[in-house]
Amino acid sequence: MKKLRFGLFENAQTNDSGTSTWRHPDSERHNFDTLDYWVDVAKMCEDAKLDFLFLADAWGWADVKGTRPDICDTEGLDLPRLDPAIVGAAIIASTEKLGIVMTGSTLLEQPYAFARRMQSLDHLSKGRIGWNVVTTGTAETAVAAFGVPMVAHDERYNMADDFMELVYKLFEGAWERDALERNKAGRYANPDKVHRISHDGPYFRSHGFGNSSYSPQGTPVLFQAGSSDRGKQFGGKHGECIFLGGGTAEKLAGQVKSIRDEAVANGRDPNSIKLMSAFSCVVAPTKEEARRKHQELLDAQTPEVAVASYAWFTGLDLSSFDPATKMSDLHTELSQTQIARFGDKTVGEVLKDWHAHGVRTNPYVGTPEDIADIMIDLAEKTDIDGFLFTPLIQPASTKDFVEQVMPILRARGVAASDYEGDTLRERLVGTPSPILSADHPGAGYRTL
Ligand code: 9WY
Ligand code: RBF
C-alpha cells in the first residue's frame, strides 16, 4: 500500500466547526490568539512528522434573519479570529520541515496583493507553503462587511477561475526562476527575465510587473475542498491536493473517482492529485475509556450551538423547519456542500448529527489499534492518499492521535517515519522538482 499523507486541521478561533468544545478542561483553544499556542501545536505536528498544518478560515458570521444570535459570542462560535497568513508566518520561524497551508478567498482577496503575500511566505519558509483556495461559502455577511456585491455560488467559481489565471501570471510569469543574480560585482537581477504581465479578465485586471520574485515553489501548493459539482470541476482543474469531507468508504470512493476523472478531462495525470479525507477520532487505551471520553464531548454540546453553527454555514435556521422536512428540499446560495452531504435525511436527523459532530465527520471511537485498522481499511477501499485529522479538542485530541495512533501506522508501513524532500510540493504531490508539474494549467503561464 502507498504511504499515506497526514495533515492537521486547525482554525485560528476559539470554537470552530460547530461543536461547543472550548469549555472542555483539556481545550486550550481559548488561547488561540497567543503565539505560544501556535508554536506548541506546530512543534507537536513536526515532532510527529505530519506533512502539514492546515489553517481553515472564513469570513462573516451566523446571521438568522438579520440577527446574530448572542450564543455566537457567549460560545466564541464564529468570531473573533486571527488572519491565517500571519499565524502561518509566525509558525515558519519555529519549524523547519512542516508544511503550512493557509486558506485564502478568491471572493474577498485582491489577487495582486494576495500573490505577494503567498510569495513572501514561500520565500521565508523555503517552499513549505500551500494555499487552500476557497470561494467563501459564508458570503452574505462577508460581502456586507467588505462592502462588495453578493455573488451567487457557481458564479463565485467563475470568479475563482479568473483569480487563478491572474495569480498564475504573477506566480509563474512575472519573474523567471533565475532572474535574480545577486552579484555585487555584476547585477542584482537580469532585466530580460523580468516581464510585464497583462490581465483583462471578466472580474480582475492587472497590468505591469509582479511585486515579488519567483519563490521556491513558484505557485504555492494548491489545495481545494469544494464538493459541490462546480467545486469539483474547479478542483479537478487547479487542485493539487483536495480535501474530502469524510464519510463511508463507498461515498469516498465515488468522490475520488469523479475528481480523478475531472483531472483527466483537464489533461492532467489523475494520480498527481492527492486526495485527503477529513477524519475524526476519540482514542483511548481501552474501548470503554474511549466511549467515556466521547460522551464527555457530546455532553459539552448544546442544541443552540448546533442550530447557530448550521446557520453560519448555510444561512438556514433548521429549528424553524418541520423536523420531517427533507434536506433535499432546502436550498442555499451559501455552502451547498452542507446540504448535499446529508442526502435524503430529514431536518430533525441533521440537527442530531450536527449536535454530535458539527461540520466534521462523525468521529470513530476506539482503541489505537481500532483506529489504525479503520484508517488503513478506508485507504485501501477508496484510493485516497491520506487524512486530514480534524481534532475535536485542541491540542488534546491531536496529542492522543500522534502519540497513540501514528506509531501503529508507522509500524505498519503506511506512515513515513521522516520528512522526505525539501519543499511541500515534492513531499506531498511527489513532483520531481519544487514547481508545478508540466501538465498543471498554471505551468502554462511560466516564462521559459
Ligand atoms: C472550506 C474541508 O460548498 P462548496 O463545495 O462550494 O468556500 C467554498 C465552500 O463553499 C466549500 O465549497 C468548501 O470549500 C468548504 N471548505 C472546506 C471543506 C472541507 C471538506 C475538509 C475543509 C474546508 N475548509 N470553506 C474550508 C475553509 O477553511 N474555508 C471555507 O470557506
Ligand atoms: N468552512 C466553510 O466556510 N464552509 C464549509 O462548507 C466548510 N466545510 C468544512 C467541512 C469539513 C469536513 C471541515 C473539517 C471543515 C469545513 N470548513 C468549512 C472549515 C471550518 O470548519 C470553518 O471555516 C470553521 O468552522 C469556521 O468557524
Side-chain angles (χ1 to χ4, degrees), residues 56-57 103 134-137 153 157 225-228 243 245 335-337 388:
D57 188 38
T103 299
V134 298
T135 56
T136 296
H153 183 275
Y157 276 104
S227 49
S228 59
F243 294 139
S335 190
Q336 296 182 351
T337 308
L388 176 69

Side-chain angles (χ1 to χ4, degrees), residues 9 11 13 15-18 56-58 77-78 81 136-138 244-246 278 312-313 335 337-338 341 359-361 388 390:
F9 173 89
N11 233 309
Q13 63 181 111
N15 202 10
D16 70 279
S17 307
D57 188 38
L77 204 54
D78 43 16
R81 302 171 173 280
T136 296
T138 52
L244 304 171
W312 180 79
F313 283 98
S335 190
T337 308
Q338 299 312 330
R341 70 184 279 194
V359 75
R360 293 181 197 85
T361 181
L388 176 69
T390 53

